[in-house]
């Protein structure tokens, strides 16, 4: 038998006997419940994305199947004698057989779904023994191939619930908002063993029959921006149930736009796995609340519960604090995509024998969570192919709950869903979708050409969401602004969900006791997908990554920017709220130093409206930057007063030019093994700079490579592979000539790799006025640079662009690429302090720089590093005017760029960085590598989907740039 599932909204306990805080394993040790046994020394965690951990032999599993036997002894009070009761499990992975006092109650499958077993006839006063046998694998494993750690055990709460005779079995609250009049309607569908009365104190309802339909002239509606909840009490003589609900109406209008309470909503969301770096999928209520608070603080307004229903307490928090939720069923069969010779053979999604299992899962999902106002859409599951069982799930939802639309990404022709979703499409493709230009039968994955009139394709009249986009693996994602800009351009493009919320790195220690976050392969798995598990906006310890800060900026609810009339434009992106809950402050800086600040006075700005206001008088000519911030005027349940919700900078009319050399030029002189040029010393043979004034250092050398990011390693675009094949990671440098004269020093250097006839030729022209040292660099490629094997077939360029712009972007999209064009310097290890005037305070790359503001910043070399779980290129600071790199006493050098440059510094070489699997592998060298880059390649999100958009690609090209150096002390 299978245990009956119910919802917390369906059941309210008058008594709970035990939450099962611990149980005893057969070897006599104590194992906390909830937990995963692999994280307590029984077996090992395993990470797989697509492949199954078992042979594809549905519905059978191997004999080698780890099994955990749990046993819990508890005492039942005398007052429970004869009271009906159920044993409820919120989550068991993957299959549980349950006995109470030696009597088998049943078997459950559906790891992330609740199940109840009737214990009424078996319970007895006094001592009772609950035994549970949990198998790691079961037939249910074939429906649970989610991209996450494979962990087993009882990982959610267990409870014994009294169910009084005449109690309430189920409640379904229907609370609709009247968009036109502002009123509300509510009715209660109730299953109970006795007549029920309902009370809603805030609406003046007291002890009314629950069979009534209630209408109210004015109510406060629920939205993610204003999550106002009402509470109803339903009562029979035997039981009372309290239900929180919100008035809201979800609809798709005649234009194909998803609306809530009559307003178009844009989902600025994330995909969220449940994860704790120490406990796996066992997530405490405190950590759930922290997640929701962090989402709200970073302007995230929506969650897709990938790829299963979350712990029910998480949805309570979404109701309370305000998030739009796409609630997903516990279903994924992605491994069948890898069957040969054809994919999806024997996929359960189209096999009638699995129909009941599919329906059971969606029914348990909907029945558990149907009363949450935050849930505005149901998702059938993830990456389970297509088939009749999925269509049957959608049909069941449409009958049971027509108030919410249905989503399923793999229904790519939108035959049975209400929301059209796609994963990782390029902005160019979304541009076509937003315009309603899909042809009947057209698909992107797998690629199929359509034919006919777009008016005949129902997808062109449906809401479109990014089911997953902007894969946040390692350094990235890039291109977030380009994706979200399309939501403002096309009403049916309604945002979506970044993959994913958090890096799922398990906290571990190495042999020396140093802490790191483990990923696939760190536990000796036979089959694994490496660090693909670390692809979140938050690091495992819930520190925001640069990608999170970038997303926060891109999706901020208020846009602050210069207007066309020279004023400040403030645009309210809220769908429901005006801006009265925010205060606006301004500050002006001169060369990074604050010189004035104040408050801005705004008129009433309703949702969706825009106003222009005057620029404060302190704003003037020169390198003065005006920064305007929107801050919370009062504390909320998720952030303190003063929390910054949005900001914008108004640039100056002109930026300051770098220091100009005087007209006086100091000639170069030969002095033994060195060449002297004013305060500078050069190696006579190589022409490399050896010091400036009293400061000793070495450089520069041309650098074209970086330690590949996870996105650089993407196979389709092939950038990292191309760079390695050209030997850019192992350049050798030969000085062609060193010419000293009255005008300065000219050095020509040829840079290439072993067994390569291609490379770069650099000409360094050094001159000085006796105090400042200038180097002007001209570098250009030579030799044969073959085409880059870019196999990414989807359109990366908008076909509607002007012809010349479109052709140039098409060229750059497939052109040979470089990681950077810049210089690397080797500095003394004590030069650990860096101050710069430019973009900051965090890292910024060409396609992920929205979160960086212009100012003066300070950091140590160690603080410049971004702690990606797998080490890779990081820490670049953009638009640097000048930087000072010094020791603690302030002695060092100052570098000014002409034009602006990007800055990075670290205590290990790029090759060392690229070879490391974990941060504990990075051993500081007795020097500092300083990178001053003229231009760098974007980051994209090519680990899944589009790589770097063409406008942010760095192709093989000539470059001219300059730096001016001086000492700081």
């Amino acid at each position: 038998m299978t245990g009956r599932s119910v919802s917390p909204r369906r059941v309210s306990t008058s008594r709970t006997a035990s939450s099962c805080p611990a149980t005893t394993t057969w070897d006599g040790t104590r194992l906390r419940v909830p937990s995963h046994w692999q994280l307590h020394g029984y077996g090992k965690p395993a990470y797989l994305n697509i492949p199954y951990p078992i042979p594809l032999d549905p519905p059978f599993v191997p004999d080698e199947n780890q099994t955990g036997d749990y046993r819990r002894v508890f005492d039942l009070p005398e007052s429970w004698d004869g009271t009906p009761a159920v044993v409820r499990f919120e989550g068991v992975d993957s299959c549980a057989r349950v006995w109470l006092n030696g009597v088998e109650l049943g078997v459950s499958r559906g790891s992330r779904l609740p199940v109840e077993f009737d214990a009424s006839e078996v319970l007895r006063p006094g001592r009772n023994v609950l035994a549970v046998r949990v198998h790691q694998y079961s037939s249910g494993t074939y429906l649970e191939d989610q991209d996450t750690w494979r962990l087993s055990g009882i990982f959610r709460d267990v409870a014994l619930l009294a169910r009084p005779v005449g109690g309430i079995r189920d409640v379904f609250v229907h609370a609709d908002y009247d968009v036109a009049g502002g009123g509300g309607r509510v009715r209660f569908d109730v299953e109970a063993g006795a007549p029920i009365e309902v009370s809603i104190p805030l609406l003046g309802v007291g002890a009314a029959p629950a069979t009534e339909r209630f209408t109210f002239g004015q109510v406060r509606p629920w939205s993610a921006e204003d999550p106002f909840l009402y509470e109803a009490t339903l009562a029979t003589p035997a039981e009372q149930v309290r239900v929180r609900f919100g008035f809201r109406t979800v609809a798709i209008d005649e234009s194909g736009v998803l609306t809530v309470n009559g307003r178009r909503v844009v989902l600025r969301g994330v995909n969220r796995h449940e994860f704790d770096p120490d406990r796996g999928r066992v997530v405490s209520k405190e950590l759930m609340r922290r997640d929701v608070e962090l989402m709200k603080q970073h302007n995230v307004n929506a969650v897709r519960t990938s790829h299963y229903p979350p712990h029910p307490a998480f949805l309570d928090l979404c109701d309370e604090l305000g998030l739009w939720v796409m609630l997903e069923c516990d279903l994924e069969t992605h491994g069948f995509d890898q069957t040969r010779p054809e994919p999806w053979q024997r996929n359960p999604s189209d096999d009638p024998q699995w129909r009941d299992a599919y329906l059971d899962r969606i029914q348990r999902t909907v029945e558990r969570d149907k009363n949450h106002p935050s849930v505005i859409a149901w998702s059938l599951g993830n990456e389970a192919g297509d088939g009749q069982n999925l269509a049957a799930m959608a049909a069941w939802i449409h009958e049971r709950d027509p108030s919410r639309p249905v989503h399923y990404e793999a229904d790519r022709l939108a035959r049975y869903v209400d929301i059209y979703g796609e994963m990782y499409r390029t902005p160019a493709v979304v541009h076509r979708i937003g315009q309603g230009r899909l042809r009947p039968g057209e698909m992107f994955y797998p690629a199929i050409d359509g034919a006919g009139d777009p008016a005949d394709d129902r997808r062109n009249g449906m809401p479109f969401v990014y089911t997953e986009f902007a894969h946040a693996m390692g350094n990235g994602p890039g291109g977030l602004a380009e994706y979200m800009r399309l939501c403002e351009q096309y009403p049916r493009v309604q945002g979506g969900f970044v993959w994913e919320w958090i890096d799922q790195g398990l906290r571990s220690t190495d042999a020396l006791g140093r802490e790191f976050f483990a990923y696939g392969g760190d536990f000796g798995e036979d089959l694994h997908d490496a660090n693909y598990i670390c692809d979140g906006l938050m690091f495992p310890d819930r520190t925001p990554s640069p990608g999170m800060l970038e997303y926060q900026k891109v999706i901020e609810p208020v846009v602050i920017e210069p207007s066309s009339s020279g004023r400040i434009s403030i645009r309210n992106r809220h769908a429901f709220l005006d801006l009265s809950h925010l205060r606006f402050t301004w500050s002006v800086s001169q060369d990074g130093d604050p010189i004035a600040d104040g408050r801005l006075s705004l008129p009433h700005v309703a949702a969706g409206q825009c106003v222009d206001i005057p620029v404060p008088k302190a704003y003037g000519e020169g390198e003065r930057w005006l920064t305007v911030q929107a801050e919370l005027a009062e504390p909320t349940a998720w952030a303190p007063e003063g929390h910054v919700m949005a900001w914008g900078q108004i640039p100056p009319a002109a930026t300051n030019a770098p220091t100009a050399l005087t007209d006086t030029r100091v000639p170069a002189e030969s002095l033994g093994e060195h060449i002297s040029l004013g305060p500078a010393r050069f190696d006579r043979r190589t022409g490399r700079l050896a010091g400036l004034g009293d400061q000793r250092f070495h450089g520069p050398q041309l650098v074209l490579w970086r330690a590949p990011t996870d996105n650089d390693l993407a196979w389709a675009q092939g950038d990292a592979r191309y760079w390695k094949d050209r030997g850019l990671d192992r350049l050798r440098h030969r000085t062609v000539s060193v010419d000293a004269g009255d005008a300065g020093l000219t050095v020509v250097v040829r840079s290439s790799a072993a067994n390569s006839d291609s490379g770069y030729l650099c000409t360094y022209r050094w001159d000085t006025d006796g105090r400042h040292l200038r180097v002007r660099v001209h570098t250009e490629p030579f030799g044969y640079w073959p085409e880059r094997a870019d196999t990414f077939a989807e359109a990366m360029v908008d076909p509607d662009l002007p012809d010349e712009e479109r052709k140039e972007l098409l060229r750059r999209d497939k052109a040979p690429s470089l990681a950077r064009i810049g210089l690397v310097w080797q500095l003394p290890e004590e030069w650990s302090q860096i101050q710069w005037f430019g973009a900051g305070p965090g890292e910024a790359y060409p396609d992920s720089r929205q979160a960086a503001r212009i100012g003066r910043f300070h950091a140590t070399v160690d603080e410049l590093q971004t702690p990606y779980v797998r080490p890779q290129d990081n820490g670049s600071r953009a638009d640097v005017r000048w930087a000072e790199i010094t020791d603690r006493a302030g002695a060092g050098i100052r570098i000014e760029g002409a034009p602006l440059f990007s800055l990075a510094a670290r205590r290990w070489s790029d090759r060392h960085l690229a070879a490391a699997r974990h941060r504990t592998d990075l051993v500081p060298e007795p020097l500092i590598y300083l990178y001053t880059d003229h231009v760098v390649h974007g980051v994209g999100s090519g680990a899944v989907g589009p790589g770097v958009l063409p406008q942010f690609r760095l192709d093989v090209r000539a470059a001219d740039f300059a730096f001016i150096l001086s000492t700081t002390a």
Side-chain angles (χ1 to χ4, degrees), residues 594-652:
I595 59 173
D597 57 56
R599 290 272 188 98
L600 288 177
S601 178
L602 260 68
H604 180 265
V605 186
Q609 288 189 344
C610 181
V611 297
D612 286 357
I613 60 173
V615 173
K617 292 182 179 180
Y619 183 63
E621 300 297 323
E623 185 85 33
R624 289 191 178 190
W625 285 83
L626 169 65
T627 303
V628 177
Q629 292 191 158
E631 308 166 354
L632 287 176
E634 297 179 352
T636 69
W638 44 268
E641 177 185 350
H643 171 74
V644 177
M645 297 295 295
W647 61 271
Q649 283 194 307
I650 313 301

Side-chain angles (χ1 to χ4, degrees), residues 51 73 96 98 121 150 160 179 392 395 412 444 597 713 832 897 950:
V73 178
V98 181
E121 301 300 321
R150 310 305 168 103
L160 177 65
V179 174
R412 297 192 175 98
F444 303 108
D597 57 56
L713 292 166
S832 62

Side-chain angles (χ1 to χ4, degrees), residues 3 26 36 59 84 152 156 168 316 362 433 447 530 563 696 743 783 793-794 799 855 923 931 966:
W26 282 113
H36 299 288
S152 313
R156 288 184 184 162
I168 300 172
D316 290 337
I362 196 62
I433 293 172
S563 73
R696 301 288 187 269
E794 195 167 290
V923 180
Y931 297 86
S966 57

Side-chain angles (χ1 to χ4, degrees), residues 537-551:
L537 293 169
M538 308 293 286
F539 293 128
D541 62 359
R542 284 172 167 76
T543 300
S545 74
M548 179 76 264
L549 301 180
E550 178 79 357
Y551 194 37

Side-chain angles (χ1 to χ4, degrees), residues 914-935:
R917 290 190 77 249
H918 297 288
R919 288 183 56 77
T920 49
D921 298 330
L922 294 172
V923 180
E925 299 179 35
L927 56 91
I928 287 171
Y929 295 90
L930 175 71
Y931 297 86
T932 55
D933 293 321
H934 169 60
V935 61

Side-chain angles (χ1 to χ4, degrees), residues 267-341:
L267 305 175
R268 301 176 177 100
V270 294
N271 285 277
R272 174 186 177 267
H273 269 295
E274 293 187 311
F275 184 72
D276 182 306
D278 301 300
R279 304 177 69 194
R281 284 201 304 279
V282 180
V283 182
S284 69
K285 292 181 180 179
E286 292 76 19
L287 198 58
M288 290 182 234
R289 186 175 189 91
R290 181 63 179 146
D291 271 348
V292 177
E293 290 173 347
L294 285 168
M295 290 176 188
K296 297 285 288 187
Q297 290 167 13
H298 289 88
N299 297 327
V300 170
N301 72 358
V303 174
R304 176 178 174 233
T305 66
S306 53
H307 300 295
Y308 43 81
H311 190 291
F314 179 77
L315 298 177
D316 290 337
L317 290 165
C318 294
D319 294 342
E320 175 189 335
L321 300 182
L323 289 172
W324 309 118
V325 175
M326 178 179 283
L327 200 288
E328 194 148 271
C329 184
D330 186 10
L331 175 64
E332 180 166 340
T333 66
H334 203 175
F336 286 92
D337 187 23
Q338 298 189 334
T339 57
R340 297 294 180 265

